[in-house]
Amino acid sequence: MTVPETAEKIKSMEIRGAGRIARTAAEALRDHALSLAAPDTAAFKKEMEQAAALLVSTRPTAVSLPNAVHYVMAGLDPSVNVDEARNGVIHRAEQFIQSSQHAVERIAGFGARHIRDGDVILTHCNSEVALGCMIEARRQGKEIEVFATEVRPRNQGHITIRTLNDAGIKTNFIVDSAVRSFINNVNLVIVGADAVTVNGAVVNKIGTSQVAHTAAEARVNVIVAAETYKFAPRTVVGELIEIEERPPNEVLPDEIARTLPNVTVRNPAFDVTPPEYIDLIVTEQGAIPPQMAYVIIREYLGWEIGEFNPGGG
Ligand code: RUB
């Protein structure tokens, strides 16, 4: 798939979910590097940077995307010949894809440890790592049951219930607004993340903060499953995560909206759950309380407070 094709598929959400978006972007950069007929390293670098910028511009919230692109592009050494520069990019892209897949597997293992036999788990949206934890728990023989939300407006819950069904997990499908009605039937919430900030706030599908708030009120633990590349280094220097606002017609058909001139449809795709509502973030490096997010950013993404690098990811 070409870079513009990949960018279009990420934008239209044919490819979605923060981990998949990151791996697909790394693949697109690898394939672009392979096929580029650049006369020299400077021209190669320029073309690669344009491709990287196009990919990063597709969806603003999932930090895994700029983190992946930054990781891959760091393999491009401008001081070597064009073939060496090409190999550098290809190598880093392969490394990212492999370590991402490995991270997803490790998180499933770590997350499953926090799931007990008989647990009833609520999940929101469609997260491969959150689902990975549940599927691994089931594989270990734990009898679990899941409540999965619908996830308006894009219905990612439909993907979630198919995956759970196929894994043989007893599942209840509910509308988003039914979370509070069922929270007392549940004893654990597990969700994924698009971004984790330095103070341990989690950015995930719109509605996650309502779910977490409801869980906190009911004293139900909330676990977030997130690879380290979902942690946002630039929040260390005070940058905020941009919340993507998607087209109104995802929520209300244009033909109805047209008849309602006084109505504005707002469609933010993500929201921010404060660290107070989160008990644990499970990463491939182990489980941490949200307050330890800075350690992940420093140790695994190599960002120190005070080392502000304007060109970095
Ligand atoms: C997806 C979403 C997921 C996270 C984590 O939103 O909010 O919970 O991306 O997913 P969208 P994963 O459907 O708008 O991309 O664990 O698969 O990376």
Side-chain angles (χ1 to χ4, degrees):
M1 209 174 5
T2 66
V3 167
E5 279 165 0
T6 305
E8 194 40 52
K9 286 197 160 118
I10 295 174
K11 216 173 188 155
S12 66
M13 291 175 58
E14 197 176 314
I15 296 163
R16 50 148 301 283
R20 283 194 186 88
I21 288 172
R23 284 194 300 277
T24 310
E27 279 166 19
L29 286 175
R30 177 197 62 198
D31 296 348
H32 194 55
L34 269 167
S35 66
L36 255 185
D40 54 35
T41 305
F44 176 75
K45 182 167 180 277
K46 196 167 164 223
E47 294 264 9
M48 287 305 301
E49 281 172 351
Q50 275 169 6
L54 177 63
L55 289 166
V56 169
S57 71
T58 52
R59 293 197 77 189
T61 304
V63 167
S64 53
L65 174 59
N67 278 350
V69 167
H70 185 240
Y71 185 88
V72 173
M73 292 298 285
L76 200 169
D77 180 350
S79 68
V80 297
N81 73 38
V82 67
D83 282 330
E84 286 166 341
R86 190 192 312 279
N87 286 338
V89 171
I90 295 166
H91 178 66
R92 293 279 286 199
E94 294 290 355
Q95 245 182 9
F96 180 84
I97 296 160
Q98 266 179 27
S99 67
S100 165
Q101 281 157 348
H102 188 56
V104 172
E105 284 163 27
R106 274 175 71 91
I107 291 173
F110 290 151
R113 288 188 201 165
H114 296 274
I115 300 174
R116 291 156 305 183
D117 193 30
D119 270 352
V120 182
I121 301 162
L122 187 141
T123 192
H124 181 60
C125 198
N126 177 258
S127 156
E128 68 170 343
V129 270
L131 284 172
C133 300
M134 298 173 223
I135 292 167
E136 176 56 20
R138 178 79 195 94
R139 199 196 60 78
Q140 292 172 0
K142 294 173 188 170
E143 279 300 330
I144 58 168
E145 183 174 339
V146 176
F147 279 75
T149 51
E150 185 181 26
V151 195
R152 278 276 293 151
R154 295 293 298 254
N155 295 322
Q156 286 91 335
H158 290 214
I159 315 171
T160 296
I161 57 172
R162 184 152 300 281
T163 304
L164 289 166
N165 177 75
D166 294 352
I169 296 173
K170 192 175 166 204
T171 300
N172 305 277
F173 186 49
I174 59 172
V175 297
D176 302 329
S177 42
V179 166
R180 196 158 182 267
S181 297
F182 288 109
I183 199 69
N184 290 322
N185 298 56
V186 162
N187 59 328
L188 186 62
V189 170
I190 307 183
V191 292
D194 280 80
V196 182
T197 71
V198 68
N199 69 339
V202 167
V203 182
N204 192 48
K205 180 54 55 197
I206 189 79
T208 302
S209 68
Q210 274 179 200
V211 170
H213 184 223
T214 304
E217 181 199 38
R219 299 191 175 278
V220 170
N221 282 348
V222 175
I223 293 180
V224 174
E227 305 91 306
T228 52
Y229 54 77
K230 305 224 177 115
F231 286 63
R234 297 177 79 93
T235 59
V236 170
V237 289
E239 251 184 48
L240 298 176
I241 303 288
E242 183 183 338
I243 302 292
E244 175 184 13
E245 183 135 2
R246 295 195 54 89
N249 62 10
E250 287 187 346
V251 177
L252 192 69
D254 286 332
E255 53 279 20
I256 299 177
R258 232 177 275 127
T259 66
L260 305 168
N262 296 320
V263 175
T264 304
V265 176
R266 300 295 309 271
N267 185 20
F270 301 97
D271 67 18
V272 182
T273 300
E276 298 78 42
Y277 296 160
I278 299 160
D279 294 283
L280 212 57
I281 304 180
V282 182
T283 80
E284 74 276 18
Q285 301 297 341
I288 56 156
Q291 292 73 15
M292 271 179 67
Y294 172 63
V295 175
I296 297 286
I297 293 175
R298 193 187 61 201
E299 299 289 319
Y300 299 103
L301 299 170
W303 275 65
E304 290 276 9
I305 286 176
E307 279 185 14
F308 180 48
N309 165 16

